[in-house]
Amino acid sequence: DAGVTQSPTHLIKTRGQHVTLRCSPISGHKSVSWYQQVLGQGPQFIFQYYEKEERGRGNFPDRFSARQFPNYSSELNVNALLLGDSALYLCASSLGNTGREQYFGPGTRLTVT
Amino acid sequence: QKEVEQNSGPLSVPEGAIASLNCTYSDRGSQSFFWYRQYSGKSPELIMFIYSNGDKEDGRFTAQLNKASQYVSLLIRDSQPSDSATYLCAVPSYGKLTFGQGTILTVHP
């Protein structure tokens, strides 16, 4: 079975631009969570979606938004990019919505110049 | 006080030794705990989870949980150079995982 997939792998954007990151969960998993990881830190929670509804939101500005589609794949959108948005963006897939046993995709490395 | 705390290390052990990684957490209501391994430039990989007090063993890995002390640890027996990575402790709550900053482990031959 395929694991969690994310695209693109790497991305370079300029300040002020917009970016869309994509994630497909493990087959049968209905929950997708997004995390941001900067160098030297643990991942920070951004959003959780379960059954196409937002179930949790971390302490991130409104420039960050996400959605989940009927096939349970998900998109993370970031508007008006700042240099500080440069990070590894991780998508995690889980069976339910309790946050337990989350499996991560390979991540998208975003660089903002 | 941070919700989940880990010593960032680096922790250096010789090949074949036991590596001990520690994590403390602030929420007394936490019921489950996860350990992830993250190689440089890669994403975190779930390697252990523990839900009840005591020890849980899986191959060379043992997770230990002490809820009274709000302390969870990961022991790696017979450490190998391939175990060199960052180890992240994570606590779930309301659908999200809260991570510590990770401990860098280096196993030298």
Side-chain angles (χ1 to χ4, degrees), chain B residues 1-54:
Chain B
Q1 181 188 5
K2 292 183 180 178
E3 295 179 62
V4 181
E5 293 203 54
Q6 295 181 254
N7 187 329
S8 62
L11 174 66
S12 182
V13 301
E15 186 175 355
I18 296 175
S20 177
L21 305 160
N22 304 314
C23 173
T24 58
Y25 59 95
S26 61
D27 183 358
R28 285 196 169 273
S30 296
Q31 298 295 315
S32 53
F33 306 86
F34 300 91
W35 284 99
Y36 286 83
R37 177 177 62 198
Q38 187 172 26
Y39 292 113
S40 180
K42 302 295 184 182
S43 63
E45 174 192 8
L46 181 62
I47 57 172
M48 283 288 283
F49 52 87
I50 186 166
Y51 300 131
S52 55
N53 263 342

Short mmCIF file of all heavy atoms in Angstrom, two decimals, chain B residues 1-54:
data_model
loop_
_atom_site.label_atom_id
_atom_site.label_comp_id
_atom_site.label_asym_id
_atom_site.label_seq_id
_atom_site.Cartn_x
_atom_site.Cartn_y
_atom_site.Cartn_z
N GLN B 1 6.39 26.98 31.08
CA GLN B 1 6.84 25.60 30.85
C GLN B 1 6.28 25.09 29.52
O GLN B 1 5.09 25.23 29.24
CB GLN B 1 6.37 24.71 32.00
CG GLN B 1 6.81 23.27 31.85
CD GLN B 1 6.17 22.35 32.88
OE1 GLN B 1 5.32 22.79 33.66
NE2 GLN B 1 6.56 21.10 32.91
N LYS B 2 7.17 24.53 28.68
CA LYS B 2 6.72 23.97 27.43
C LYS B 2 5.88 22.73 27.70
O LYS B 2 6.06 22.03 28.69
CB LYS B 2 7.93 23.59 26.56
CG LYS B 2 8.71 24.80 26.06
CD LYS B 2 9.85 24.36 25.17
CE LYS B 2 10.63 25.56 24.68
NZ LYS B 2 11.78 25.14 23.83
N GLU B 3 4.96 22.44 26.76
CA GLU B 3 4.07 21.30 26.94
C GLU B 3 4.82 19.98 26.89
O GLU B 3 4.49 19.04 27.62
CB GLU B 3 2.99 21.32 25.87
CG GLU B 3 2.04 22.51 25.97
CD GLU B 3 1.01 22.50 24.88
OE1 GLU B 3 0.22 21.52 24.82
OE2 GLU B 3 0.99 23.43 24.08
N VAL B 4 5.80 19.88 26.00
CA VAL B 4 6.60 18.67 25.84
C VAL B 4 8.06 19.10 25.77
O VAL B 4 8.41 19.94 24.93
CB VAL B 4 6.22 17.89 24.57
CG1 VAL B 4 7.06 16.62 24.45
CG2 VAL B 4 4.73 17.56 24.56
N GLU B 5 8.88 18.55 26.64
CA GLU B 5 10.28 18.97 26.68
C GLU B 5 11.21 17.80 26.50
O GLU B 5 11.01 16.72 27.07
CB GLU B 5 10.59 19.66 28.02
CG GLU B 5 9.87 20.98 28.19
CD GLU B 5 10.56 21.90 29.19
OE1 GLU B 5 11.76 22.16 29.02
OE2 GLU B 5 9.89 22.36 30.11
N GLN B 6 12.24 18.03 25.71
CA GLN B 6 13.29 17.04 25.50
C GLN B 6 14.63 17.75 25.56
O GLN B 6 14.73 18.92 25.20
CB GLN B 6 13.18 16.40 24.10
CG GLN B 6 11.95 15.59 23.85
CD GLN B 6 11.98 14.99 22.44
OE1 GLN B 6 11.25 15.45 21.56
NE2 GLN B 6 12.81 13.98 22.25
N ASN B 7 15.65 17.03 26.00
CA ASN B 7 17.00 17.54 25.94
C ASN B 7 17.46 17.46 24.48
O ASN B 7 17.41 16.40 23.87
CB ASN B 7 17.91 16.68 26.82
CG ASN B 7 19.30 17.25 26.92
OD1 ASN B 7 19.79 17.89 25.98
ND2 ASN B 7 19.94 17.04 28.04
N SER B 8 17.86 18.60 23.92
CA SER B 8 18.19 18.62 22.49
C SER B 8 19.48 17.87 22.16
O SER B 8 19.72 17.53 20.99
CB SER B 8 18.28 20.06 21.99
OG SER B 8 19.32 20.74 22.67
N GLY B 9 20.27 17.56 23.20
CA GLY B 9 21.52 16.85 22.96
C GLY B 9 22.59 17.77 22.37
O GLY B 9 22.58 18.95 22.68
N PRO B 10 23.51 17.25 21.56
CA PRO B 10 23.48 15.89 21.04
C PRO B 10 23.90 14.85 22.08
O PRO B 10 24.69 15.13 22.95
CB PRO B 10 24.48 15.93 19.87
CG PRO B 10 25.42 17.02 20.23
CD PRO B 10 24.63 18.03 21.02
N LEU B 11 23.30 13.66 21.96
CA LEU B 11 23.65 12.52 22.78
C LEU B 11 24.53 11.60 21.94
O LEU B 11 24.12 11.20 20.85
CB LEU B 11 22.38 11.78 23.22
CG LEU B 11 22.56 10.47 23.98
CD1 LEU B 11 23.21 10.73 25.33
CD2 LEU B 11 21.21 9.78 24.16
N SER B 12 25.70 11.33 22.42
CA SER B 12 26.64 10.50 21.68
C SER B 12 26.90 9.22 22.45
O SER B 12 27.26 9.28 23.63
CB SER B 12 27.95 11.26 21.45
OG SER B 12 28.85 10.48 20.69
N VAL B 13 26.70 8.07 21.80
CA VAL B 13 26.95 6.77 22.45
C VAL B 13 27.79 5.91 21.51
O VAL B 13 27.70 6.06 20.28
CB VAL B 13 25.64 6.04 22.82
CG1 VAL B 13 24.80 6.88 23.77
CG2 VAL B 13 24.85 5.66 21.59
N PRO B 14 28.56 4.99 22.07
CA PRO B 14 29.33 4.09 21.20
C PRO B 14 28.44 2.99 20.66
O PRO B 14 27.41 2.63 21.26
CB PRO B 14 30.40 3.52 22.15
CG PRO B 14 29.79 3.63 23.50
CD PRO B 14 28.89 4.83 23.48
N GLU B 15 28.81 2.45 19.53
CA GLU B 15 28.10 1.33 18.93
C GLU B 15 27.99 0.18 19.93
O GLU B 15 28.96 -0.16 20.62
CB GLU B 15 28.83 0.86 17.68
CG GLU B 15 28.11 -0.21 16.89
CD GLU B 15 28.82 -0.54 15.58
OE1 GLU B 15 29.82 0.14 15.25
OE2 GLU B 15 28.37 -1.47 14.89
N GLY B 16 26.78 -0.39 20.02
CA GLY B 16 26.55 -1.51 20.94
C GLY B 16 26.04 -1.09 22.31
O GLY B 16 25.56 -1.93 23.07
N ALA B 17 26.11 0.18 22.63
CA ALA B 17 25.65 0.67 23.94
C ALA B 17 24.14 0.89 23.95
O ALA B 17 23.47 0.78 22.93
CB ALA B 17 26.38 1.96 24.29
N ILE B 18 23.62 1.20 25.14
CA ILE B 18 22.20 1.56 25.27
C ILE B 18 22.09 3.09 25.22
O ILE B 18 22.75 3.80 25.96
CB ILE B 18 21.63 1.06 26.60
CG1 ILE B 18 21.64 -0.48 26.65
CG2 ILE B 18 20.19 1.57 26.80
CD1 ILE B 18 21.19 -1.06 27.99
N ALA B 19 21.23 3.57 24.34
CA ALA B 19 20.93 5.00 24.27
C ALA B 19 19.63 5.25 25.01
O ALA B 19 18.65 4.53 24.82
CB ALA B 19 20.82 5.45 22.82
N SER B 20 19.63 6.26 25.87
CA SER B 20 18.45 6.59 26.67
C SER B 20 18.00 8.01 26.34
O SER B 20 18.75 8.97 26.52
CB SER B 20 18.79 6.47 28.16
OG SER B 20 17.67 6.85 28.94
N LEU B 21 16.77 8.12 25.85
CA LEU B 21 16.21 9.41 25.43
C LEU B 21 15.03 9.72 26.33
O LEU B 21 14.19 8.85 26.58
CB LEU B 21 15.77 9.32 23.97
CG LEU B 21 16.88 8.88 23.01
CD1 LEU B 21 16.29 8.34 21.72
CD2 LEU B 21 17.81 10.02 22.73
N ASN B 22 14.96 10.95 26.78
CA ASN B 22 13.95 11.31 27.78
C ASN B 22 13.03 12.43 27.32
O ASN B 22 13.43 13.28 26.51
CB ASN B 22 14.65 11.73 29.07
CG ASN B 22 15.59 10.66 29.57
OD1 ASN B 22 15.26 9.50 29.61
ND2 ASN B 22 16.81 11.07 29.91
N CYS B 23 11.83 12.43 27.90
CA CYS B 23 10.82 13.41 27.51
C CYS B 23 9.92 13.65 28.72
O CYS B 23 9.50 12.69 29.39
CB CYS B 23 10.02 12.84 26.34
SG CYS B 23 8.57 13.79 25.83
N THR B 24 9.62 14.91 29.02
CA THR B 24 8.65 15.23 30.06
C THR B 24 7.50 16.00 29.44
O THR B 24 7.66 16.68 28.41
CB THR B 24 9.28 16.07 31.19
OG1 THR B 24 9.82 17.27 30.64
CG2 THR B 24 10.38 15.28 31.90
N TYR B 25 6.34 15.90 30.05
CA TYR B 25 5.16 16.57 29.51
C TYR B 25 4.39 17.23 30.63
O TYR B 25 4.47 16.83 31.80
CB TYR B 25 4.28 15.57 28.74
CG TYR B 25 3.78 14.41 29.58
CD1 TYR B 25 2.54 14.44 30.20
CD2 TYR B 25 4.57 13.28 29.76
CE1 TYR B 25 2.09 13.38 30.97
CE2 TYR B 25 4.13 12.21 30.52
CZ TYR B 25 2.89 12.27 31.12
OH TYR B 25 2.46 11.22 31.90
N SER B 26 3.61 18.25 30.29
CA SER B 26 2.98 19.06 31.32
C SER B 26 1.52 18.69 31.60
O SER B 26 1.02 18.94 32.70
CB SER B 26 3.06 20.54 30.94
OG SER B 26 2.37 20.77 29.72
N ASP B 27 0.83 18.10 30.61
CA ASP B 27 -0.60 17.81 30.77
C ASP B 27 -0.80 16.46 31.47
O ASP B 27 -0.57 15.40 30.88
CB ASP B 27 -1.28 17.79 29.40
CG ASP B 27 -2.79 17.56 29.49
OD1 ASP B 27 -3.31 17.39 30.62
OD2 ASP B 27 -3.44 17.56 28.44
N ARG B 28 -1.25 16.51 32.73
CA ARG B 28 -1.44 15.27 33.50
C ARG B 28 -2.50 14.36 32.90
O ARG B 28 -2.55 13.18 33.19
CB ARG B 28 -1.83 15.61 34.94
CG ARG B 28 -0.69 16.11 35.79
CD ARG B 28 -1.04 16.04 37.27
NE ARG B 28 0.16 16.28 38.08
CZ ARG B 28 1.01 15.33 38.44
NH1 ARG B 28 0.81 14.09 38.08
NH2 ARG B 28 2.08 15.63 39.16
N GLY B 29 -3.39 14.93 32.05
CA GLY B 29 -4.44 14.14 31.44
C GLY B 29 -4.00 13.36 30.21
O GLY B 29 -4.78 12.59 29.67
N SER B 30 -2.76 13.54 29.77
CA SER B 30 -2.28 12.85 28.57
C SER B 30 -2.33 11.34 28.78
O SER B 30 -1.94 10.83 29.82
CB SER B 30 -0.85 13.28 28.25
OG SER B 30 -0.81 14.66 27.93
N GLN B 31 -2.84 10.64 27.76
CA GLN B 31 -3.05 9.21 27.87
C GLN B 31 -2.12 8.38 26.99
O GLN B 31 -1.95 7.20 27.21
CB GLN B 31 -4.50 8.87 27.50
CG GLN B 31 -5.55 9.51 28.41
CD GLN B 31 -5.45 8.95 29.82
OE1 GLN B 31 -5.32 7.74 30.02
NE2 GLN B 31 -5.48 9.83 30.81
N SER B 32 -1.58 9.00 25.95
CA SER B 32 -0.75 8.24 25.02
C SER B 32 0.44 9.07 24.57
O SER B 32 0.39 10.31 24.62
CB SER B 32 -1.57 7.76 23.82
OG SER B 32 -2.24 8.85 23.22
N PHE B 33 1.48 8.36 24.15
CA PHE B 33 2.74 9.02 23.85
C PHE B 33 3.39 8.32 22.67
O PHE B 33 3.31 7.08 22.54
CB PHE B 33 3.66 8.98 25.08
CG PHE B 33 2.98 9.54 26.29
CD1 PHE B 33 2.19 8.74 27.09
CD2 PHE B 33 3.11 10.89 26.60
CE1 PHE B 33 1.52 9.26 28.18
CE2 PHE B 33 2.44 11.42 27.68
CZ PHE B 33 1.65 10.61 28.47
N PHE B 34 4.03 9.12 21.84
CA PHE B 34 4.62 8.58 20.63
C PHE B 34 6.08 8.98 20.51
O PHE B 34 6.46 10.08 20.92
CB PHE B 34 3.86 9.11 19.40
CG PHE B 34 2.41 8.73 19.39
CD1 PHE B 34 1.47 9.55 19.96
CD2 PHE B 34 2.01 7.53 18.84
CE1 PHE B 34 0.14 9.20 19.98
CE2 PHE B 34 0.68 7.17 18.85
CZ PHE B 34 -0.26 8.01 19.41
N TRP B 35 6.86 8.09 19.93
CA TRP B 35 8.24 8.40 19.57
C TRP B 35 8.39 8.31 18.05
O TRP B 35 8.01 7.30 17.45
CB TRP B 35 9.21 7.44 20.25
CG TRP B 35 9.42 7.73 21.70
CD1 TRP B 35 8.83 7.12 22.76
CD2 TRP B 35 10.30 8.73 22.25
NE1 TRP B 35 9.29 7.67 23.93
CE2 TRP B 35 10.19 8.65 23.65
CE3 TRP B 35 11.17 9.67 21.69
CZ2 TRP B 35 10.91 9.48 24.51
CZ3 TRP B 35 11.89 10.48 22.54
CH2 TRP B 35 11.76 10.40 23.92
N TYR B 36 8.94 9.38 17.50
CA TYR B 36 9.24 9.42 16.07
C TYR B 36 10.75 9.52 15.89
O TYR B 36 11.44 10.17 16.67
CB TYR B 36 8.58 10.64 15.41
CG TYR B 36 7.08 10.52 15.23
CD1 TYR B 36 6.21 10.83 16.26
CD2 TYR B 36 6.55 10.14 13.99
CE1 TYR B 36 4.84 10.73 16.08
CE2 TYR B 36 5.18 10.05 13.80
CZ TYR B 36 4.33 10.35 14.85
OH TYR B 36 2.97 10.25 14.66
N ARG B 37 11.24 8.92 14.82
CA ARG B 37 12.64 9.04 14.43
C ARG B 37 12.69 9.86 13.14
O ARG B 37 11.92 9.61 12.21
CB ARG B 37 13.24 7.66 14.19
CG ARG B 37 14.69 7.65 13.70
CD ARG B 37 15.19 6.22 13.56
NE ARG B 37 14.43 5.47 12.57
CZ ARG B 37 14.43 4.13 12.51
NH1 ARG B 37 15.13 3.42 13.36
NH2 ARG B 37 13.72 3.53 11.58
N GLN B 38 13.60 10.82 13.08
CA GLN B 38 13.71 11.66 11.90
C GLN B 38 15.17 11.74 11.46
O GLN B 38 16.01 12.30 12.16
CB GLN B 38 13.17 13.08 12.18
CG GLN B 38 13.11 13.95 10.93
CD GLN B 38 12.39 15.26 11.17
OE1 GLN B 38 12.34 15.77 12.29
NE2 GLN B 38 11.81 15.83 10.11
N TYR B 39 15.45 11.15 10.31
CA TYR B 39 16.77 11.28 9.72
C TYR B 39 16.90 12.66 9.08
O TYR B 39 15.89 13.26 8.67
CB TYR B 39 17.01 10.19 8.68
CG TYR B 39 17.11 8.80 9.26
CD1 TYR B 39 16.15 7.83 9.00
CD2 TYR B 39 18.18 8.44 10.08
CE1 TYR B 39 16.24 6.55 9.52
CE2 TYR B 39 18.28 7.17 10.62
CZ TYR B 39 17.30 6.23 10.33
OH TYR B 39 17.40 4.97 10.88
N SER B 40 18.13 13.13 8.98
CA SER B 40 18.39 14.46 8.44
C SER B 40 17.79 14.60 7.03
O SER B 40 18.03 13.77 6.15
CB SER B 40 19.90 14.71 8.39
OG SER B 40 20.18 15.99 7.87
N GLY B 41 16.98 15.62 6.85
CA GLY B 41 16.38 15.89 5.54
C GLY B 41 15.16 15.05 5.22
O GLY B 41 14.60 15.16 4.12
N LYS B 42 14.75 14.19 6.16
CA LYS B 42 13.59 13.33 5.93
C LYS B 42 12.46 13.71 6.87
O LYS B 42 12.60 14.57 7.73
CB LYS B 42 13.98 11.86 6.16
CG LYS B 42 15.11 11.37 5.27
CD LYS B 42 14.70 11.38 3.81
CE LYS B 42 15.81 10.79 2.94
NZ LYS B 42 15.45 10.83 1.50
N SER B 43 11.31 13.04 6.70
CA SER B 43 10.16 13.31 7.55
C SER B 43 10.17 12.37 8.75
O SER B 43 10.84 11.33 8.73
CB SER B 43 8.87 13.15 6.75
OG SER B 43 8.73 11.81 6.29
N PRO B 44 9.41 12.69 9.81
CA PRO B 44 9.38 11.83 11.00
C PRO B 44 8.72 10.48 10.70
O PRO B 44 7.73 10.41 9.97
CB PRO B 44 8.53 12.63 11.99
CG PRO B 44 8.61 14.05 11.52
CD PRO B 44 8.69 13.96 10.03
N GLU B 45 9.26 9.43 11.32
CA GLU B 45 8.77 8.06 11.17
C GLU B 45 8.35 7.56 12.54
O GLU B 45 9.14 7.58 13.48
CB GLU B 45 9.88 7.18 10.59
CG GLU B 45 9.54 5.71 10.52
CD GLU B 45 10.76 4.86 10.22
OE1 GLU B 45 11.89 5.40 10.20
OE2 GLU B 45 10.60 3.65 10.02
N LEU B 46 7.11 7.09 12.66
CA LEU B 46 6.62 6.56 13.93
C LEU B 46 7.32 5.24 14.26
O LEU B 46 7.27 4.29 13.47
CB LEU B 46 5.11 6.36 13.85
CG LEU B 46 4.40 5.84 15.10
CD1 LEU B 46 4.55 6.80 16.26
CD2 LEU B 46 2.93 5.58 14.81
N ILE B 47 7.98 5.18 15.42
CA ILE B 47 8.68 3.95 15.78
C ILE B 47 8.12 3.28 17.03
O ILE B 47 8.27 2.06 17.20
CB ILE B 47 10.20 4.20 15.97
CG1 ILE B 47 10.48 5.27 17.02
CG2 ILE B 47 10.87 4.53 14.64
CD1 ILE B 47 11.95 5.41 17.37
N MET B 48 7.48 4.04 17.93
CA MET B 48 6.94 3.44 19.14
C MET B 48 5.78 4.27 19.64
O MET B 48 5.77 5.49 19.49
CB MET B 48 8.00 3.39 20.25
CG MET B 48 9.03 2.31 20.12
SD MET B 48 8.40 0.69 20.46
CE MET B 48 8.34 0.71 22.26
N PHE B 49 4.80 3.60 20.28
CA PHE B 49 3.80 4.33 21.01
C PHE B 49 3.47 3.55 22.27
O PHE B 49 3.60 2.32 22.32
CB PHE B 49 2.54 4.59 20.17
CG PHE B 49 1.96 3.37 19.52
CD1 PHE B 49 1.06 2.57 20.18
CD2 PHE B 49 2.32 3.05 18.21
CE1 PHE B 49 0.52 1.45 19.56
CE2 PHE B 49 1.78 1.94 17.58
CZ PHE B 49 0.88 1.14 18.25
N ILE B 50 3.07 4.27 23.30
CA ILE B 50 2.78 3.65 24.58
C ILE B 50 1.59 4.36 25.19
O ILE B 50 1.47 5.59 25.14
CB ILE B 50 4.02 3.68 25.51
CG1 ILE B 50 3.76 2.91 26.81
CG2 ILE B 50 4.48 5.11 25.78
CD1 ILE B 50 5.02 2.61 27.61
N TYR B 51 0.66 3.53 25.77
CA TYR B 51 -0.56 4.09 26.32
C TYR B 51 -0.68 3.89 27.83
O TYR B 51 -1.46 4.56 28.49
CB TYR B 51 -1.78 3.45 25.65
CG TYR B 51 -1.85 3.67 24.16
CD1 TYR B 51 -2.09 2.61 23.29
CD2 TYR B 51 -1.67 4.93 23.62
CE1 TYR B 51 -2.15 2.81 21.93
CE2 TYR B 51 -1.74 5.14 22.25
CZ TYR B 51 -1.98 4.08 21.42
OH TYR B 51 -2.04 4.28 20.06
N SER B 52 0.03 2.93 28.37
CA SER B 52 -0.16 2.64 29.79
C SER B 52 1.16 2.68 30.54
O SER B 52 2.23 2.52 29.93
CB SER B 52 -0.83 1.28 29.97
OG SER B 52 -0.09 0.28 29.30
N ASN B 53 1.08 2.86 31.83
CA ASN B 53 2.27 2.89 32.66
C ASN B 53 3.10 1.63 32.52
O ASN B 53 2.56 0.55 32.30
CB ASN B 53 1.88 3.05 34.13
CG ASN B 53 1.95 4.48 34.59
OD1 ASN B 53 2.57 5.32 33.96
ND2 ASN B 53 1.30 4.77 35.70
N GLY B 54 4.39 1.79 32.62
CA GLY B 54 5.27 0.63 32.54
C GLY B 54 6.10 0.66 31.28
O GLY B 54 6.37 1.72 30.73
#
